[in-house]
Amino acid sequence: LIEAGVTILNPIQPECMDPAVVRQKYPALVLHGTIGTQSTMPWATPDEVRRVVRSRIQTCGAAGRLILGPTHVLEPEVPIANFEAYVEAARAG
């Protein structure tokens, strides 16, 4: 796919693949997603959400090749506190 001109991979689902491994294996690709909507966002604590966001920025954000976000739409079971923690951590970088 890279040889065919693909420059972005969407979604990067941490429940299915390790985003850091994908980054290491394909450093030229832009990664979209990386924050789990089946794990982190609905079930983690706000502090865990912040930790995951910081980790993704550190491990996957090389050279601006990360579009940080939930892997899919957020379902109703996601606590507002987790969404706020995600936004706060993403803004802090």
Side-chain angles (χ1 to χ4, degrees):
L1 291 174
I2 292 171
E3 290 176 15
V6 171
T7 59
I8 187 168
L9 186 56
N10 172 43
I12 301 294
Q13 291 179 264
E15 296 87 0
C16 302
M17 61 186 85
D18 184 332
V21 171
V22 175
R23 165 55 63 225
Q24 290 173 347
K25 192 167 182 177
Y26 304 103
L29 283 178
V30 174
L31 306 183
H32 182 263
T34 77
I35 307 299
T37 57
Q38 297 169 319
S39 56
T40 302
M41 291 305 292
W43 311 119
T45 66
D47 284 339
E48 291 169 330
V49 171
R50 287 183 197 91
R51 182 188 55 75
V52 168
V53 169
R54 284 191 301 268
S55 174
R56 294 295 190 270
I57 291 169
Q58 291 174 345
T59 60
C60 299
R65 291 188 174 98
L66 172 65
I67 300 172
L68 181 70
T71 58
H72 298 288
V73 83
L74 295 178
E75 298 294 336
E77 64 268 6
V78 174
I80 294 296
N82 283 4
F83 179 74
E84 291 170 339
Y86 158 76
V87 171
E88 174 188 308
R91 284 183 175 162

